[in-house]
Structures are given as C-alpha cells and as structure tokens.
Amino acid sequence: MKEDNARLREAIDRLSVPIYMKDVDGRYVYANDFACELVGRPRSEVVTANDHELFPPELADVQRANDLRVIEGGEPIASEVYLRFPHSPELRCCLSFKQPLFDAHGDVEGVAGLTIDITERKRQEEELVALKDDFAAIIQALPDPMFELDINGCCYAYHTPDDSLLPAAPSVFMGRAVSEVLPPEEARIVLDALREAAEKGRSSGKVFKVETPHGTRWFELSVAPMAKVEGRPQRFSVLSRELTARRQMEQQIHDLAFFDPLTRLPNRRLMLDRLEHALAGHAHLDNDGAVLLIDLDHFKELNDTHGHAAGDQLLVKAAERLRGCIRQGDTAARLGGDEFVVLLENLDGIFDRLGHINMVADRISQELSRPFHLSFGQNGETILYQCSVSIGITSFGGPDATATDLLRQADTAMYQAKSAGRNAVRFFDPEMQAAVTERANLHADLRDAIRSGQFELYYQVQTTFDGLSSGAEALLRWWHPTRGLLSPGAFIQLAEETGLIVPLGHWVLETACKQLASWAGRPETSGLVLSVNVSARQFQQPGFTEEVAELLQRTGAPANRLKIELTESVLLEHAEEAIRNMERLCSLGIGFSLDDFGTGYSSLAYLKRLPLTQLKIDQSFVRHVTTDPSDATIVRTILALGDSLGLSVIAEGVETEDQLALLAQSGCKDYQGYLFGHPLPLREFEASVIANPSAPQPN
Ligand SMILES: Nc1nc2c(ncn2[C@@H]2O[C@H](COP(=O)(O)O[C@H]3[C@@H](O)[C@H](n4cnc5c(=O)[nH]c(N)nc54)O[C@@H]3COP(=O)(O)O)[C@@H](O)[C@H]2O)c(=O)[nH]1
C-alpha cells in the first residue's frame, strides 16, 4: 500500500498539469513538479509559501478568494484563471479546479487543486462564436430569401430580406411543407431540387416563379445539404436567388427583338419566324394558310399634314383593330411604316377556305375604314380620320414556297390592289383572284336579285306508297340575268354566309304560304302539304317564329299543310332554343321534317326530344340502296327508327323502279325523286298533280 502511494505520488509529481495542496491559510503543503516549474521556484521554496509570495498580487488575490470560497463553502469549484506557464511568454487561459480537503472530523483543513490549460479550446470556442456571428451577418446581408427545409420541403428556418418577395407572410412557411404554401408546379420544382441535392450533394439552376401580392417574381434555387445532426432528419439550405429583374430584362430584350415598340404587334422578324414555322409544319401536316399584306392608303399624307404624332396614333389604333379581326392562333404583325401582315394558319379545317380568307380581308377592310379619332399636338387637336386599305393576299399549302417568296407574292398582289385605285383586295394566285371576283360579283348580283325579284319556286312532288301525290317540296330557283336558271347549289351557301338568306328565306316562306292558301281553295290541291327548306341562319334569326305566324295569318295559309325542312346542324347548334322555337311553331300546326337524315350525328335520346313529324332519308343512301348492302341496312334502320319514334319517313332521290321496290319492301311509304317527277315551275307542277290526283290528307 505504501509502495502504491509512493508510485501514485511519483506519477502526480510528473504530470504536466499543475497540482497542489494548501492549508486553510493558503500556504502550499504540496506542489507537483509542473506547479513548481510554473512559479519558477524549487519545491522547497514553494511548499510553506502562499500565493502572494509566489504570484503577482492580482493573480494571488484571485487565487486566495477562490480558496476561501472552497474553504468556507466546503464545496469544489471550477473557475477560469490566466497564468503564465513556464517557457510560455503569453498568458494562458486555465481552468482551475479546487477541492476542499477534510480532516478526520469533517472540518475543512485545506484545498487541493489542479489547473488545466484551456487556451486552445478557448480560442477555438471564440473562433466558433465569431464564425457563427460572421455567418449570421452574411445571411443577414443576403439579398435573397433563404430557407432551411427537410427533404419533404418542411420549413424549419428562413431568412428574408424583404417579406414582399414571398407569396405569403414568412411565418406561414414555418413548420409547413412547400406543397402547402406554394402552387403545385412550384412546389414540385422545389422538391425536385431537394431530391437532387440529396442525391448529388448539390442542386442549382432550377427556376420557378411565384405570384406574390406585389406581382410575379422569378427565383433560381441553390440547394445544399446541411451538416448531419444525430437523430435529426437531413436538412437542406435552400437559397432562392431572385431573378425577376433579369427576367424582366430578358423579356424586354425579347420584346425589342420580336415586337414593334409602337404598336406592340409582332415585328417582321417574329412574323417571318412564325411563317417559316407554319411552312415547316405544312411539310408534315395539312397546314394551309394565307398571308395578307395590308397597306394603309395615303398614310404619308396624314403624316405630312398632321405630323408624325398623328401618324403614330393611327398606326397604334389600326393595330388594335387588326388584332380584333383575327382568330386566336393567327398573327397580326407590323412590317414597318404603314405596312401590316396578317398570317392565317390551319385553314385546312375550314370548309370554305377561300371564303374564310376573303371574309377576313373584308373584315379588315371594313374595320380599318371606320373613322379614327386622332388627338395630337400640344393643344390636343382632334380630328376624325377615315382611311382605306389595300390588301394583297397569297396562300400557302401548294407547291413549296419560302416565307420570303410568300411575302413577295403578297406584296405584288398588294401593289395590284393599289394600282386598281386603292381600297381594294387582290389575290396573287390568278385562279383564286378569279374565284374571289366571281364570289364578289355573285354577292352583288344576289343582292340585286332579291331587290328585283329574280327568284321562282319550283315544286317537286312527294308521293305515297299507293302512287298518290301527298305534297311537294318547294325548291328555289334564280333566274340570273346573264347566267340563266341557277339551282340553289350555286348561291345558297353564299346567301347563308352573307346573311342574305334572311330576306331570301322570307321571300320563299311568303311565296310558299301564298301558294298553300291558293291550293287550299281548290279541291284537287287542297290536300297538298308543302315542305319548305329553312336554313340554320334563318331559323336562328330572332323573331323567326313570329315571322312565320304573321305570314300564316296574313296569307291565310293552313298551318297544318306547311312543313319546315331543317337539317341536323340547325338543331345541334343552340339546341334548347331550337327546340323551344319548334314547339311554338308546332303549336300552330306546322310540321317538321329532318332533312338529309343519316348524314349527321343525331342521337336517339336527342331525336326523342324534337317535335318532329318526319325523317327524310338522305338521297346518298337511296342512290346505292340496291347495290350497297350497308346503304340498304342504313335505310332499314332509319325506317325502324322512324317507326319506333312514331315519325313518318320519306325517301328522297328515288330515281328507279328497283330503288322504289326495295324501299317499299323495307317499309318505306313516302317518296320523292325523279321517278315521280322533277322539280317543276308552278303551272307544270299543278298540271301534273291534276293528272295524278293527290292523296287525301287528314285535316
Ligand atoms: N334554305 C333553302 N335551301 C333551299 C331552298 N331550296 C332549295 N334549297 C336547298 O338546296 C339544295 C339543292 O336543291 P336543288 O338543287 O333544288 O335539289 C333538290 C332536288 O332537285 C334534288 N332531287 C330531287 N329528286 C332527285 C333525284 O331523284 N335525284 C337527284 N339526283 N336529285 C334529286 O334534291 C334536292 C332536294 O333535296 P332536299 O332539300 O334535301 O330534299 C336542297 O337540298 C335544299 O337544301 C330554299 O328555298 N331555302
């Protein structure tokens, strides 16, 4: 035991930590080698000395005060002291531990202590604190929002230099996942960036935009995993660098490059780009289109008389009107000066392509010919300015042409419009020009024809299964002054497109009603039912039902002898209103026949709702009914459908005995077609009916 104590004492003596014992008066009773070295005295001088004899007074005072705390308190203490160690010129920061020593009675008889040099640790701690402060200062100085998120986008901390950068108050982010705070697409981008940072150690460059109460803001994300903390899910530092200003600048550069700064319309570059794109698309798809080059007539004179401010204002207002003339997907651009281009695309889906192009050109012409209110000059001078435009048109979709070729063609056509006295439209393609001219002439002729009464109704007999005449279909004919007799195929579509069908259709109905009233007075014709074709535009015209009621009343025509033929397209558009109008007319006694039946899309459920009297099998099915088994099946199905709906079914276009036999065999009871009679002028029709008496009709 003695030996052990001696070895322990020897070890303590040699420890490179100062260890000592003092009595209650503060005199050293023991100091190890390092402690003696520390004060630079031999042990014989240290033992029995006190701190005031060994250390500078300030340090000695501190030591003594601490010793007294231990002696009086009977408890160990630890405190920081600064000492100058042997061979070290600098003051060292030390942690001094003092422990009370007790005698056999439990009274404090002294103090044991040791001192550990913590200078390095202290320095590291101080550096760490400084680093943390520096880091906090850096974050504080960051102009961008920064978040601490976990892999699910849940927010644990944030920094924002300006709350208006965020879509919601910053506190809203705390404890919530980004998917709860951001719209789905933006949240997805943030989560992708977090995942990428988890996999690759970093993510940068992902851009997203958010709508804030202060407008749209753009951000670029930089994400890095934070240091791992035991027992805590991985967190990520997410820096959102604001790009709004850069984006706006990019947008500005883009706008300057591709848009006309005055009118905000696409400029020549963008228009050519779109045209080239359309032409490239045309190579793969059916992407027909047209280029319309529009030049304001006499623009220079406006500039010369009223100055450039007036000219600029006209260009801006003309551009606005031009925008209103085109469909979504088409382009209106300003080439420069007073020249505009309209690019019409995807015309392949339009039935009357030429009609559509022409209609757009007409609309542009009309819109730009409406007076413009221009106010300019320092005194706010205002003028009412009326201009006209010359339009050159070329189309694409035929043999390959480049964008420049097309512009040149439209330009040539536009100059032809100018040479023709301005305020004109010209097509580059001579055939197209001829067709358009023809259409324009026909339109003018049609207007004159309505005014001067060049129309006549022909009547085509409708026959029952036993060969008796049940009625007639009124079919319009136009006695054109130079072209002779024209069938509806030559002008009805134009009349519909131009709205002339309304007065024309009125004339047809009025003539038919007068005819019915006249037939009603004669026994040989009083049983005839007259079918009249009514076009979609005419039927949808406000006040149509009142017009028919008024005609019946004025002419004295029996309503139950009038049948209106409608096509499915009339009924599919604005269906509810069409049904209401049909019901009103039905209540007067008028019947309805569904024309061209089988070529449309009517569903059984829909047909059941219509107050119809008759289905008319389209002549295209009758034509091949004897040779094409599927046409025969269609005919039988329509007959069965009519039967189940309680409707009569008439077959049109019956030309042969074989067709009649097959139709009769299939259960058809009413017919119309050349086999029974061609459409005839009134006198001839009446003569044929008298020769072949009419079937008795229920009153
Ligand atoms: N809105 C209005 N549309 C009208 C009016 N009048 C006629 N039309 C529409 O024009 C279409 C063509 O009429 P049309 O050239 O007179 O042709 C009709 C008959 O001549 C023809 N037909 C009759 N029988 C036969 C035949 O056996 N073979 C054959 N190849 N053709 C025949 O069919 C036309 C009648 O068709 P539909 O009206 O479907 O019964 C005409 O379709 C009307 O839509 C009008 O006043 N207003």
Side-chain angles (χ1 to χ4, degrees), residues 26-28 41 45-56 60:
R27 294 202 172 274
Y28 285 88
R41 308 269 185 95
E45 283 183 27
V46 175
V47 171
T48 71
N50 65 24
D51 286 323
H52 282 94
E53 290 157 357
L54 299 174
F55 295 107

Side-chain angles (χ1 to χ4, degrees), residues 460 473 476-477 488 533 595-596 616 619 652-653 655 674 679:
Q460 186 177 28
E473 179 179 4
L476 188 59
R477 297 292 181 263
N533 290 285
D595 203 0
D596 306 338
K616 198 168 192 185
Q619 50 180 282
E652 68 171 333
E655 294 183 353
Y674 296 163

Side-chain angles (χ1 to χ4, degrees), residues 18-331:
I19 297 174
Y20 56 86
M21 286 193 286
K22 296 178 194 170
D23 62 17
V24 289
D25 298 324
R27 294 202 172 274
Y28 285 88
V29 291
Y30 168 75
N32 73 350
D33 294 350
F34 196 83
C36 296
E37 243 183 275
L38 185 71
V39 291
R41 308 269 185 95
R43 184 171 288 135
S44 54
E45 283 183 27
V46 175
V47 171
T48 71
N50 65 24
D51 286 323
H52 282 94
E53 290 157 357
L54 299 174
F55 295 107
E58 323 82 64
L59 179 58
D61 285 347
V62 174
Q63 296 278 56
R64 183 60 189 154
N66 284 338
D67 288 350
L68 287 174
R69 274 174 61 206
V70 175
I71 293 163
E72 284 159 15
E75 297 281 342
I77 64 162
S79 59
E80 269 182 24
V81 286
Y82 285 86
L83 297 176
R84 209 176 295 281
F85 277 20
H87 321 301
S88 163
E90 54 170 335
L91 268 183
R92 309 291 294 178
C93 177
C94 301
L95 199 54
S96 155
F97 293 97
K98 290 181 190 284
Q99 172 78 33
L101 295 170
F102 298 98
D103 61 13
H105 307 291
D107 294 327
V108 177
E109 63 169 356
V111 175
L114 66 87
T115 304
I116 300 169
D117 185 353
I118 58 164
T119 312
E120 274 319 306
R121 212 181 79 195
K122 189 86 180 160
R123 188 176 299 139
Q124 279 170 6
E125 265 177 25
E126 279 167 3
E127 273 174 9
L128 214 61
V129 169
L131 207 65
K132 227 173 136 186
D133 289 349
D134 287 352
F135 190 60
I138 290 169
I139 289 186
Q140 228 25 60
L142 271 181
D144 303 303
M146 196 166 177
F147 299 89
E148 190 178 319
L149 305 180
D150 67 14
I151 190 76
N152 300 314
C154 186
C155 179
Y156 295 93
Y158 65 84
H159 150 81
T160 169
D162 175 2
D163 291 0
S164 73
L165 289 174
L166 304 178
S171 54
V172 172
F173 285 82
M174 287 301 290
R176 288 201 172 86
V178 281
S179 52
E180 295 175 69
V181 190
L182 297 179
E185 179 54 19
E186 280 66 42
R188 187 192 60 73
I189 295 172
V190 176
L191 292 172
D192 279 356
L194 287 167
R195 265 191 293 275
E196 187 175 70
E199 281 164 20
K200 301 184 180 163
R202 183 178 151 71
S203 166
S204 63
K206 292 207 185 316
V207 173
F208 74 108
K209 73 170 191 307
V210 285
E211 297 303 329
T212 75
H214 305 271
T216 308
R217 295 198 184 269
W218 291 85
F219 294 96
E220 185 181 67
L221 293 173
S222 295
V223 185
M226 295 173 73
K228 285 201 168 93
V229 174
E230 193 59 36
R232 189 182 83 170
Q234 174 72 62
R235 289 190 190 171
F236 298 83
S237 175
V238 178
L239 180 78
S240 309
R241 150 98 6 121
E242 209 213 336
L243 298 178
T244 311
R246 204 180 87 193
R247 278 267 160 176
Q248 281 165 347
M249 247 144 59
E250 281 169 7
Q251 187 63 46
Q252 225 174 335
I253 292 166
H254 176 270
D255 285 1
L256 285 171
F258 293 105
F259 289 86
D260 167 43
L262 179 67
T263 60
R264 314 295 310 137
L265 286 181
N267 63 12
R268 174 187 286 269
R269 185 183 291 121
L270 182 54
M271 191 280 300
L272 278 173
D273 186 63
R274 290 198 184 158
L275 182 52
E276 270 154 16
H277 199 260
L279 290 173
H282 164 73
H284 309 291
L285 308 160
D286 258 357
N287 182 16
D288 286 358
V291 177
L292 285 71
L293 185 65
I294 301 140
D295 188 277
L296 305 183
D297 296 332
H298 305 296
F299 179 70
K300 188 173 172 305
E301 285 162 33
L302 173 73
N303 265 343
D304 292 347
T305 5
H306 295 286
H308 285 266
D312 282 358
Q313 224 180 96
L314 176 67
L315 292 172
V316 171
K317 293 190 172 189
E320 271 166 28
R321 292 192 190 172
L322 208 51
R323 258 190 223 108
C325 292
I326 56 170
R327 299 174 307 170
Q328 215 181 1
D330 293 335
T331 303

Side-chain angles (χ1 to χ4, degrees), residues 38 182 185 336 347 445 474 505 528 630 646:
L38 185 71
L182 297 179
E185 179 54 19
L347 298 183
D445 290 352
L528 292 175
S630 46

